[in-house]
């Protein structure tokens, strides 16, 4: 809850403290945080070419972020700005707008920020601004959880929670000591307070401190830098999953070869080229002409009964996809039409309701819907749909068009040849093309070629360890009818049905792991048609309604979760970590194993390829370029390719 001073300075009623100086909050931010970390001078350093990372504790009204954005923009910097912030009690859009209304200099960027400040979830929320030059990761939750989940190293830290006397929990030593995880030699910090508990905690953490003149009525403030060695300990306990600990490389990545130009490969090419990397896309079928070539795809978060890696990842991927596509895709390529997911045998009413309750979602993201008596009388289709979960911003896309648009960059070259061999090449990699068509030399190689990943990766590693299955799906495209043209939402249950898109509906999809016939099958046609006739009889479709059908193949893992990240040598991994979970070994520490430089995997996206691709591409681009990842460390662990190696060896002696 907020109250307001006469000059519109916001006051937290919970903590009894102001959010910024009533004298001039904008100038306070410049003095304490911009100048306190010497940012303007540091940003002029010509050696700063790639990225600069700021970590803030206490997002509040967003004043520090927007001020930093403004300062960054005015200096026309070459590098990318990553801003990570933590906030336990987020303000709503209206409160932020009112609080910042007294700073007309921020109005333009404030409007751009608030346009994206929606559909927030607990944990990490990722935003991109200024065509990918500014990245914001906003963690909603407790600071101790946030500091355990942030991956990456900060160049500067803003400590801006409420005063230690009002909010002692944030400033206690057990929290600030966690800053070590995100610090490196030379990481600076600044804060408005000089309280003894803060000085002691920061000294224990490893910071050298300096008192400086404060702003306004505050006589003094603190600044300093981290003086300990990076990675104080290169060892981890089994609980910390040492193979998931980020290891940062001195190698510079200027070129990348991406094998596979579906929606995942194209999204990654876009994310990398936006960061200044020259990309070669290699695919004999061209851009998004395999599984990503379907006429339309639908997306919504996957809500499990209890929060899981799958549900948490899809919630983050969903909100980022909405932000990205709303500004990138055209009206014929994307629409947030809303999606209704009805109750099924697998997803019961109780399971849906518990999932919504346990994920604490806003009704703007997902809400339980029942059919009222009035709607039954007014609309036959409403009664046929039944009860279930409504996702107001569930969306459909034209993946082929979006992929082509992402790949249409001067720094992305498409080669329509088959990659037949990948080999080390000095400090980089060599991709050999089919029919002696030449070779591609690159700093890194990323395998995005779906169920074909193992064909090229296994010879490099000397064994197969990624359990990727090829799954067949068939869909039907149906002609619009007078009745079907009236419903505006995507309908999901055992299958999905889109609203009319250019006079046609997409009905999908079958699922078959065993019969991989590439041709359309009559039995699948009947299965889909019988489903829609039984489920929605008022729409009146029959065999003559079918315009055409399509077969596609997707790749998935046994845990139905994507594979995304760097690659280890399986032999080295087994040798280093075998028996790691045995009782006698659980107190041992283990050195962090280095990944194979320049080798990455992005695949097995399954039935959520569209949803996973955009955020997945941003995650992998950040890993390739040693930037902070836009999701939690625990999610990186769930996505990591080596999770299968770990499952294989964790109980072996």
């Amino acid at each position: 809850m907020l109250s307001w001073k006469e000059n519109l300075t916001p006051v937290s009623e919970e903590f009894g403290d102001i959010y910024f100086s009533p004298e001039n909050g904008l100038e306070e931010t410049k003095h304490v945080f911009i100048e306190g970390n010497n940012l303007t001078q540091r940003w002029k350093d010509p050696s700063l070419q790639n990225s600069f990372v700021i970590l803030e504790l206490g997002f509040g009204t967003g004043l520090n972020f927007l001020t930093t954005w403004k300062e960054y923009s005015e200096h026309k910097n070459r590098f990318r700005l990553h801003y990570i912030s933590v906030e336990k009690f987020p303000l709503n859009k209206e409160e932020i707008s009112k609080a910042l209304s007294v700073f007309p200099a921020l109005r333009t960027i404030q409007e751009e920020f608030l346009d994206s400040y929606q559909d927030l979830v607990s944990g990490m929320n990722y935003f991109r601004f200024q065509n990918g030059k500014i990245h914001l990761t906003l963690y909603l939750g407790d600071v101790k959880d946030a500091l355990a989940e942030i991956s990456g190293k900060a160049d500067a830290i803003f400590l801006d929670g409420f005063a230690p006397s009002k909010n002692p929990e944030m400033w206690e030593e057990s929290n600030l000591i966690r800053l070590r995880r995100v610090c490196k030699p030379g990481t600076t910090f600044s804060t408005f307070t000089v309280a003894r508990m803060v000085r002691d905690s920061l000294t224990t953490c490893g910071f050298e401190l300096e008192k400086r003149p404060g702003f306004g009525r505050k006589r003094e403030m603190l600044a300093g830098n981290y003086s300990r060695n990076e990675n104080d300990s290169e060892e981890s306990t089994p609980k910390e999953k040492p193979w998931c600990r980020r290891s940062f490389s001195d190698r510079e990545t200027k070129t990348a070869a991406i094998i596979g130009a579906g929606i995942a490969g194209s999204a990654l090419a876009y994310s990398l080229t936006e960061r200044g990397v020259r990309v070669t896309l290699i695919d004999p079928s061209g851009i998004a002409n395999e599984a990503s070539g379907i006429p339309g795809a639908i997306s919504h978060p996957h809500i499990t009964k209890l929060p899981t890696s799958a549900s948490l990842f899809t919630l983050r991927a969903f909100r980022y996809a909405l932000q990205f596509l709303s500004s990138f895709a055209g009206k014929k390529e994307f629409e947030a039409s809303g999606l209704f997911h009805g109750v099924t045998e697998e997803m019961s009413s109780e399971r849906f309701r518990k999932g919504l309750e346990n994920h604490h979602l806003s009704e703007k993201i997902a809400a339980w819907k029942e059919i009222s008596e009035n709607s039954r009388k007014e609309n036959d289709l409403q009664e046929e749909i039944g009860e279930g979960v409504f996702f107001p911003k569930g969306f459909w896309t034209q993946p082929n068009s979006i992929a082509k648009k992402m790949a249409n960059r001067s720094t992305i070259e498409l080669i329509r040849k088959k990659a037949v061999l990948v080999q080390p090449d000095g400090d980089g990699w060599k991709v050999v093309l089919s029919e002696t068509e030449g070779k591609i030399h690159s700093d890194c190689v990323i395998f995005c070629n779906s169920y074909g990943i193992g064909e090229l990766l296994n010879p490099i590693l000397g064994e197969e360890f990624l359990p990727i299955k090829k799954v067949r799906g068939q869909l039907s495209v149906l002609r619009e009818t007078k009745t079907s043209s009236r419903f505006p939402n995507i309908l999901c249950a055992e299958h999905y049905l889109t609203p009319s898109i250019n006079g046609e509906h997409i009905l999908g999809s079958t699922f078959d792991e065993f019969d991989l016939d590439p041709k359309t099958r009559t039995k699948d046609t009947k299965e889909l048609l019988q489903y829609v006739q039984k489920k929605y009889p008022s729409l009146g479709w029959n065999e003559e309604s079918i315009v055409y059908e399509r077969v596609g193949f997707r790749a998935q893992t046994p845990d139905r979760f994507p594979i995304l990240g760097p690659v280890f040598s399986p032999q080295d991994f087994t040798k280093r970590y075998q028996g790691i979970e045995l009782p006698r070994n659980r107190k041992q520490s283990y050195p962090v194993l280095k990944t194979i430089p320049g080798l990455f995997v992005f695949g097995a996206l399954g039935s959520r390829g569209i949803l996973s691709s955009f955020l997945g591409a941003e995650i992998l681009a950040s890993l390739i370029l040693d930037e902070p990842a836009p999701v939690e460390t625990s999610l990186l662990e769930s996505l990591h390719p080596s999770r299968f190696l770990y499952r294989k060896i964790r109980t072996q002696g």
Side-chain angles (χ1 to χ4, degrees):
M1 291 288 293
L2 293 185
S3 59
W4 303 84
K5 291 183 175 289
E6 287 184 8
N7 63 356
L8 290 186
T9 300
V11 180
S12 167
E13 293 191 356
E14 170 136 9
F15 293 97
D17 200 2
I18 55 176
Y19 276 86
F20 48 73
S21 170
E23 297 170 58
N24 190 321
L26 183 59
E27 291 304 316
E28 179 188 35
T29 291
K30 289 181 181 178
H31 177 82
V32 175
F33 298 112
I34 305 297
E35 295 172 17
N37 285 278
N38 197 24
L39 296 188
T40 304
Q41 198 61 35
R42 292 166 74 186
W43 288 349
K44 292 178 182 177
D45 184 348
S47 67
L48 180 56
Q49 296 287 334
N50 297 323
S51 64
F52 191 91
V53 180
I54 295 172
L55 169 64
E56 174 188 52
L57 303 190
F59 186 75
T61 63
L63 176 59
N64 292 342
F65 169 61
L66 295 180
T67 304
T68 306
W69 176 343
K70 183 174 182 295
E71 291 290 316
Y72 169 87
S73 301
E74 288 176 353
H75 285 84
K76 298 180 181 178
N77 293 297
R78 308 161 302 287
F79 57 89
R80 295 174 297 284
L81 176 64
H82 284 268
Y83 197 101
I84 306 166
S85 190
V86 182
E87 179 57 58
K88 190 172 183 178
F89 303 99
L91 303 183
N92 62 40
K93 185 182 292 192
E94 291 71 27
E95 291 169 330
I96 291 177
S97 180
K98 182 177 179 179
L100 298 181
S101 63
V102 296
F103 306 116
L106 300 177
R107 184 168 295 128
T108 301
I109 57 178
Q110 174 192 327
E111 289 173 358
E112 184 178 346
F113 166 66
L114 289 176
D115 281 345
S116 298
Y117 188 78
Q118 54 189 321
D119 306 320
L120 304 183
V121 296
S122 296
M124 287 192 178
N125 298 265
Y126 177 60
F127 307 78
R128 285 170 74 254
F129 301 105
Q130 286 205 334
N131 298 317
K133 293 290 286 182
I134 296 176
H135 302 249
L136 168 66
T137 304
L138 178 57
Y139 187 101
L140 302 185
D142 195 274
V143 65
K144 71 174 182 237
D145 298 325
L147 291 175
E149 291 284 15
I150 292 168
S151 82
K153 300 291 184 181
D155 294 289
I157 298 174
F158 297 176
L159 297 177
D160 195 29
F162 293 117
S165 59
K166 308 283 187 179
N167 183 23
E169 185 181 342
M170 195 205 91
W171 298 93
E172 64 187 26
E173 183 177 309
S174 62
N175 280 335
L176 295 186
I177 206 78
R178 294 170 185 261
L179 288 172
R180 286 178 181 172
R181 286 190 69 254
V182 297
C183 288
K184 58 187 177 182
T187 296
T188 62
F189 88 93
S190 62
T191 182
F192 61 88
T193 181
V194 292
R196 179 62 181 267
M197 67 177 292
V198 175
R199 300 200 315 269
D200 290 347
S201 297
L202 291 171
T203 301
T204 303
C205 182
F207 283 97
E208 294 181 350
L209 311 183
E210 174 191 352
K211 285 184 180 179
R212 296 183 184 178
F215 178 81
R217 299 174 192 174
K218 289 186 180 291
R219 193 160 56 91
E220 294 176 309
M221 58 170 275
L222 277 182
N225 63 82
Y226 189 73
S227 57
R228 295 191 181 173
N229 291 329
E230 188 172 3
N231 296 326
D232 288 324
S233 171
E234 280 296 326
E235 298 193 339
S236 302
T237 65
K239 185 179 178 182
E240 293 173 310
K241 303 290 187 297
W243 52 92
C244 292
R245 183 170 171 178
R246 294 279 301 271
S247 56
F248 299 92
S249 169
D250 293 330
R251 289 163 48 104
E252 190 170 6
T253 301
K254 294 184 177 180
T255 58
I258 299 175
I259 300 173
I263 189 73
S266 299
L268 179 60
Y270 178 85
S271 291
L272 286 173
T273 197
E274 287 283 288
R275 289 163 166 82
V277 178
R278 294 195 67 86
V279 176
T280 304
L281 265 175
I282 304 168
D283 196 316
S285 65
I287 303 292
N289 285 322
E290 296 294 334
S292 300
I294 60 174
I298 60 105
S299 294
H300 64 91
H302 176 57
I303 308 298
T304 50
K305 189 173 181 178
L306 295 170
T308 62
S309 294
S311 63
L312 297 176
F313 177 70
T314 59
L315 280 165
R316 284 145 183 71
F318 179 71
R319 73 155 303 282
Y320 176 69
L322 282 170
Q323 184 200 353
F324 174 73
L325 291 171
S326 294
S327 60
F328 180 82
K331 292 182 178 179
K332 293 184 179 180
E333 298 165 333
F334 157 80
E335 184 183 355
S337 59
L339 182 149
F340 183 87
H341 199 304
V343 171
T344 65
E345 249 183 70
E346 183 181 348
M347 295 298 293
S348 65
S349 170
E350 183 200 4
R351 190 171 176 181
F352 265 139
R353 287 172 179 267
K354 282 291 184 185
L356 293 177
E357 180 184 334
N358 292 327
H359 285 81
H360 308 289
L361 298 177
S362 156
E363 289 195 355
K364 292 181 179 179
I365 299 175
W368 179 256
K369 294 290 183 183
E370 293 181 346
I371 304 304
S372 67
E373 285 302 317
N374 287 337
S375 63
R376 289 179 193 274
K377 294 172 185 175
E378 293 168 6
N379 190 335
D380 289 339
L381 184 58
Q382 283 298 117
E383 185 168 3
E384 293 166 7
I385 291 171
E387 61 182 6
V389 176
F390 183 60
F391 299 92
K393 295 182 180 178
F395 61 86
W396 59 259
T397 51
Q398 301 277 16
N400 180 273
S401 298
I402 292 170
K404 287 179 177 175
K405 192 172 182 179
M406 288 191 293
N408 186 24
R409 295 286 184 277
S410 60
T411 49
I412 299 176
E413 179 187 6
L414 172 66
I415 295 182
R416 298 189 66 154
K417 302 290 180 184
K418 181 178 174 61
V420 295
L421 186 65
V422 177
Q423 297 174 316
D425 181 35
D427 289 336
W429 293 89
K430 174 173 64 180
V431 181
V432 181
L433 304 176
S434 60
E435 302 167 4
T436 62
E437 292 287 347
K439 304 174 182 67
I440 305 297
H441 299 268
S442 184
D443 294 328
C444 69
V445 173
I446 307 99
F447 298 94
C448 295
N449 50 327
S450 189
Y451 45 81
I453 288 174
E455 183 181 338
L456 291 170
L457 182 60
N458 295 344
I460 301 171
L461 303 180
E463 68 177 77
E464 180 180 351
F465 78 95
L466 294 176
I468 300 175
K469 290 184 178 180
K470 185 177 182 180
V471 178
R472 180 188 184 279
Q474 182 171 319
L475 60 77
S476 298
V477 176
L478 304 175
R479 190 173 291 106
E480 178 188 276
T481 68
K482 187 178 290 187
T483 308
S484 72
S485 65
R486 294 178 192 153
F487 75 88
N489 307 129
I490 302 161
L491 303 178
C492 279
E494 290 81 5
H495 297 286
Y496 70 86
L497 179 67
T498 70
S500 178
I501 304 172
N502 300 322
E504 296 175 342
H505 300 265
I506 301 165
L507 173 62
S509 159
T510 60
F511 181 95
D512 197 326
E513 298 179 60
F514 306 105
D515 186 344
L516 302 180
D517 188 349
K519 298 179 181 177
T520 57
R521 298 188 306 213
T522 304
K523 77 179 185 69
D524 285 18
T525 304
K526 288 181 178 179
E527 177 188 330
L528 291 172
L529 194 57
Q530 286 171 4
Y531 165 81
V532 79
Q533 289 172 335
K534 183 179 179 181
K535 186 77 175 176
Y536 314 115
S538 65
L539 297 179
W541 279 314
N542 55 37
E543 290 183 6
E544 294 180 359
S545 305
I546 299 174
V547 181
Y548 67 93
E549 297 168 289
R550 182 181 172 104
V551 174
F553 295 94
R554 50 185 176 252
Q556 72 174 36
T557 59
D559 59 13
R560 299 200 177 186
F561 209 56
I563 299 172
L564 190 162
V567 176
F568 288 108
S569 158
Q571 297 82 11
D572 291 346
F573 188 97
T574 301
K575 183 179 179 181
R576 185 72 56 89
Y577 300 125
Q578 191 161 12
I580 192 171
E581 287 285 3
L582 292 176
R584 67 174 182 269
N585 296 334
R586 285 178 186 162
K587 292 184 179 179
Q588 289 187 25
S589 59
Y590 290 83
V592 176
L593 183 66
K594 300 292 185 183
T595 58
I596 299 174
L599 213 56
F600 300 87
V601 175
F602 184 20
L605 305 187
S607 59
R608 300 187 184 92
I610 300 299
L611 194 62
S612 302
S613 290
F614 307 112
L615 183 60
E618 288 291 292
I619 294 170
L620 193 50
S622 72
L623 298 180
I624 292 170
L625 297 175
D626 288 337
E627 297 177 354
V631 294
E632 292 84 340
T633 296
S634 55
L635 282 181
L636 291 179
E637 180 182 309
S638 297
L639 293 162
H640 205 293
S642 291
R643 68 187 189 266
F644 301 106
L645 287 172
Y646 168 59
R647 291 168 191 172
K648 183 178 178 182
I649 59 95
R650 63 182 174 178
T651 58
Q652 296 174 0

